[in-house]
Amino acid sequence: MKKTNLFSPLIIAGMATAAAAAFVPHSAIAEDQGTEEWSFETGLAAMYAPDYEGSDDYEIAPVPLLEISWNDRITLTTYGGPGLYAKAYGTEDFRVDLGIRYEGGREASDNDALGGLGNMDVGAVAVGAVSYEMGPMEIGLELAHDLGGDRKGTAATLEAEYAMPVFNGQARLTIAPHLTWVNEDYMDNSFGITASQAASSTLGLAQYDPAAGLRDVGLTLGVGYPVTDNVLALARVDYSRLMSEAADSPLVKDQGSANQMSAIFGLVYKW
């Protein structure tokens, strides 16, 4: 994963699981960190996103941005949710990253559709990612596995990102198609409805037992514009289409929407 790739959807696991998960866990500012041993970033963004994965109701939430990186090898960050990452292997074009991050779950009070279904905690998620750069194109694959909580799922996300200079070379535009496959545990806990949940659902949702499969496909557009030498303005818009078993869930088909949008805007200061 490139350090500049704030806008990558590699770790977006649905806006209901973590509002902060609109970022990849590496520096968003400089294309080249140079030889500096330490780098620091702090900022604030506002995110507009569904109130649960598959919802058609949206909310705005603040997203704090903080990152401390040492030699492009160890990174403590809030990008993508609070996490700690290490570059396990890297060449000029190829990179392997390992880490652990925290992802939020969902509350039954978040939306009327969730009434009676109970809360879903997620917590710690183990992450492994590989990426390969070919000029302005980068191809990446991330595997994420829940280490605790209620979801107990595994997700695999594949993306291809193309970056280009815009505004006379002063800014950077990224275009990234992506798709995510999830296992049965993830699908079950995020989109399924057990017999007991169906019995207690305030809206009378039917029991639903989905299988593993493609969760979504989508496209992300992002722009980073340097306001000063140390301040970067950020904007990102993502569209994802829930697929197959996820789209057929009563939480999506009856009470939400398979079309998922999100947007985020913010400022980051680097020193």
Side-chain angles (χ1 to χ4, degrees), residues 45-214:
M47 170 169 273
Y48 178 73
D51 55 14
Y52 72 85
E53 193 172 9
S55 176
D56 60 359
D57 292 324
Y58 287 72
E59 60 185 8
I60 297 176
V63 179
L65 307 177
L66 176 66
E67 180 169 288
I68 302 172
S69 182
W70 177 74
N71 274 344
D72 188 25
R73 298 193 65 86
I74 305 295
T75 303
L76 178 66
T77 183
T78 63
Y79 294 116
L84 179 64
Y85 301 86
K87 182 170 73 172
Y89 177 79
T91 65
E92 184 177 351
D93 302 317
F94 181 74
R95 178 171 179 142
V96 178
D97 290 277
L98 300 175
I100 185 169
R101 67 171 176 256
Y102 173 83
E103 292 186 7
R106 72 185 186 202
E107 303 287 331
S109 59
D110 289 344
N111 191 290
D112 289 345
L114 303 175
L117 303 187
N119 301 331
M120 182 180 70
D121 295 323
V122 179
V125 178
V127 178
V130 296
S131 60
Y132 182 73
E133 292 186 49
M134 299 175 289
M137 176 73 73
E138 180 184 35
I139 298 175
L141 173 67
E142 184 200 81
L143 295 178
H145 179 72
D146 296 315
L147 298 178
D150 302 322
R151 191 171 62 187
K152 301 180 179 66
T154 300
T157 300
L158 177 68
E159 74 160 0
E161 180 194 86
Y162 181 80
M164 69 184 78
V166 291
F167 302 124
N168 295 321
Q170 297 183 59
R172 184 169 179 265
L173 172 68
T174 58
I175 304 171
H178 53 89
L179 61 86
T180 299
W181 175 94
V182 297
N183 70 351
E184 186 171 358
D185 284 337
Y186 188 112
M187 197 75 81
D188 239 356
N189 291 300
S190 294
F191 299 101
I193 300 173
T194 65
S196 60
Q197 286 177 323
S200 60
S201 170
T202 57
L203 296 184
L205 299 182
Q207 182 179 351
Y208 182 65
D209 184 21
L214 188 62

Side-chain angles (χ1 to χ4, degrees), residues 3-4 27 29-36 270:
K3 292 180 68 59
T4 54
S27 169
I29 300 288
E31 184 120 354
D32 182 359
Q33 292 288 346
T35 58
E36 293 184 7
K270 175 183 179 294

